[in-house]
Amino acid sequence: MPHLSTTVDAANTGTEDAEQLNFPPISKDHILNCSYDSWFLGYKSSCLRSRIISLPPAVVSYLQEDGIILADDEAEQHPEEEWHSEGAKGSRVEEVYSSDEEDEPEIDSRPPNERFPETHRLIKETIAELGGAVVPKLNWSSPKDAKWVNPHQNTLRCTTPSDIYLLLKSSSFVSHDLNHAFDHCDDTPAKQPFAPVLVLRPFFNPHNALEFRCFVKHRALIGITQRDLNHYDFLADLRPNLTRKIKHFFESVLRFTFPDSCFVFDVYVPENDDAEDGLGKVRLIDINPWSPSTDSLLFSWKELLDLEVKKPIYGSLSQDEASGSASEEDFTTSDETDEDGAAGQGQSFGQLEFRLIEKDDPAAYNFSAPQYSAHKLPKEVVDASAAGGSGLRDFLAQWRVLTEGKGDGMWEHAEASGGTST
């Protein structure tokens, strides 16, 4: 959900950040409608298998606290791993983060399995139920910006509750969900309270080229863009079929059922060699707010906001209408044509424009910085750096305690090369 500044943004928008974007009023209810737990059951047949776990206040407090204290019960779950030695217990971690200042509030130093045992147990059971490896996210965001901290080779793959805790506590995106989800909203009170949830989905390796972000304005699909901002030769040939499949999915599943008339949704369209068009079923990955907090990728928010939809459909649906009682006949729909024409980085299908990174686009060769690099330092690292050499040494000692035995010999490699790498 949080917007990321990228070189593509800069190329497409120029001074967009400096300009005042004229978003319509953003209600708290719109943000909550995009929360995974609000829409998943209604579109379950189009989604990846998921389990939703409510997060009680004790878990939310734990995720927001400084320091990293992980579970100490995972010796039973992974007896072949050695990182659960006595040094990895919660007490050792707490010592590294202890403070001499008496006026600081005392932080609960118990490990998660003791601090919120029921939720911890449920997470362990859900991981096993989903095949032993999962991908976590909260209401809106996954901790993609913290992949680098994961012992599982720079992925979101989690096999233990501690893997999940480490990713969530290290992620700026997760912090945004918990603390800043309603920053751009008006003052109208929400009709429903915000309830943090943890979403777990089975881990798999998608083909990044086949993930797309789609923009809906006044119940018209106006834009589709790659999510992975690299050039792929084969996508140009697939564009007509991808457009047809995504457009059909939107018309038949989302257009007249999602409560709000403006929103953004993400889909994954896997390859299928047995299908005539070479593509499988469209899978709904996420629904995002029509808000500056959502990354517009190859579009700029200014052009999306300025675009005029033919015969727009305004307003929101009631809960009854959104649950399935509304139909196309209940609305005045826009005229749609499928006339093809080139436009910018994309190809236009009526009002719908599908943008890809083109081969000669400078943006395709301008990603020298790793994705999410601006978000790769957890608060603990920043605090340790600010404390000088002693702070960094303490953090390194704690980090070694937490990752020993799970980093595929990274400490041995670092020592052999004469230092550590980041």
Side-chain angles (χ1 to χ4, degrees), residues 270-387:
E271 296 176 294
N272 183 351
D273 294 335
D274 296 330
E276 185 176 347
D277 59 6
L279 298 170
K281 179 180 178 181
V282 176
R283 293 293 182 182
L284 180 62
I285 301 298
D286 259 322
I287 298 179
N288 310 289
W290 184 268
S291 159
S293 63
T294 298
D295 195 339
S296 58
L297 297 171
L298 292 179
F299 292 90
S300 73
W301 269 117
K302 185 177 189 308
E303 62 185 320
L304 294 169
L305 292 168
D306 289 347
L307 186 144
E308 293 187 10
V309 175
K310 298 177 181 177
K311 297 185 178 179
I313 300 171
Y314 297 100
S316 300
L317 301 179
S318 67
Q319 289 296 327
D320 289 339
E321 289 171 329
S323 66
S325 60
S327 65
E328 185 170 357
E329 288 73 22
D330 296 324
F331 301 96
T332 302
T333 61
S334 61
D335 295 331
E336 294 176 350
T337 62
D338 288 326
E339 298 175 0
D340 296 350
Q345 291 171 296
Q347 191 166 5
S348 178
F349 299 83
Q351 274 200 292
L352 169 60
E353 185 173 347
F354 195 148
R355 291 188 177 178
L356 302 174
I357 293 283
E358 306 294 351
K359 185 175 183 180
D360 297 326
D361 189 336
Y365 307 98
N366 199 24
F367 288 93
S368 55
Q371 193 176 26
Y372 311 124
S373 58
H375 302 265
K376 283 189 174 180
L377 291 180
K379 184 178 184 298
E380 290 76 17
V381 178
V382 177
D383 291 345
S385 177

Side-chain angles (χ1 to χ4, degrees), residues 18 21 172 178 191 215 220 222 224 236 247 252 271 305 314 340:
L21 294 174
S172 297
L178 294 175
K191 297 176 183 177
F215 298 88
I222 61 171
I224 302 173
K247 186 176 180 180
S252 60
E271 296 176 294
L305 292 168
Y314 297 100
D340 296 350

Side-chain angles (χ1 to χ4, degrees), residues 35 86 148 150 230 248 290 302 310 345 412:
S35 178
E86 288 301 316
W148 66 280
N150 192 359
N230 290 289
H248 175 74
W290 184 268
K302 185 177 189 308
K310 298 177 181 177
Q345 291 171 296
E412 290 79 1

Side-chain angles (χ1 to χ4, degrees), residues 77-207:
Q77 187 169 355
H78 295 293
E80 75 282 2
E81 298 184 2
E82 298 179 357
W83 83 291
H84 56 265
S85 61
E86 288 301 316
K89 302 292 185 182
S91 58
R92 171 70 174 275
V93 175
E94 191 274 334
E95 287 176 8
V96 173
Y97 275 87
S98 62
S99 172
D100 294 331
E101 298 194 20
E102 297 179 357
D103 57 344
E104 284 194 5
E106 185 175 347
I107 295 178
D108 191 337
S109 62
R110 292 176 299 165
N113 51 297
E114 296 179 12
R115 189 166 173 180
F116 36 88
E118 288 303 313
T119 302
H120 181 78
R121 176 188 57 78
L122 184 56
I123 292 173
K124 290 180 71 171
E125 293 174 353
T126 304
I127 293 173
E129 178 192 353
L130 294 177
V134 299
V135 173
K137 63 170 291 172
L138 292 196
N139 300 61
W140 300 278
S141 307
S142 64
K144 288 184 177 181
D145 57 319
K147 286 194 297 184
W148 66 280
V149 85
N150 192 359
H152 295 286
Q153 299 180 345
N154 199 35
T155 70
L156 291 177
R157 183 175 185 264
C158 296
T159 59
T160 68
S162 284
D163 291 341
I164 294 173
Y165 303 147
L166 182 60
L167 280 175
L168 297 182
K169 285 182 69 67
S170 302
S171 172
S172 297
F173 293 177
V174 167
S175 177
H176 179 279
D177 277 16
L178 294 175
N179 301 301
H180 302 286
F182 305 101
D183 280 1
H184 299 286
C185 295
D186 58 26
D187 296 330
T188 306
K191 297 176 183 177
Q192 52 186 322
F194 167 48
V197 297
L198 172 65
V199 179
L200 298 180
R201 299 187 283 205
F203 174 79
F204 77 107
N205 281 312
H207 194 321

Side-chain angles (χ1 to χ4, degrees), residues 198-272:
L198 172 65
V199 179
L200 298 180
R201 299 187 283 205
F203 174 79
F204 77 107
N205 281 312
H207 194 321
N208 292 338
L210 296 172
E211 295 182 88
F212 303 97
R213 175 154 291 180
C214 310
F215 298 88
V216 178
K217 185 174 184 179
H218 305 318
R219 302 205 181 274
L221 181 61
I222 61 171
I224 302 173
T225 173
Q226 282 178 247
R227 291 196 66 194
D228 181 46
L229 300 179
N230 290 289
H231 171 68
Y232 296 93
D233 282 328
F234 70 93
L235 283 180
D237 292 335
L238 285 178
R239 178 154 43 189
N241 285 333
L242 284 167
T243 302
R244 176 184 55 82
K245 290 188 79 83
I246 294 173
K247 186 176 180 180
H248 175 74
F249 172 80
F250 167 68
E251 295 283 349
S252 60
V253 176
L254 286 174
R255 186 179 189 188
F256 300 110
T257 58
F258 191 70
D260 299 299
S261 62
C262 298
F263 58 97
V264 181
F265 67 95
D266 296 333
V267 294
Y268 178 59
V269 189
E271 296 176 294
N272 183 351

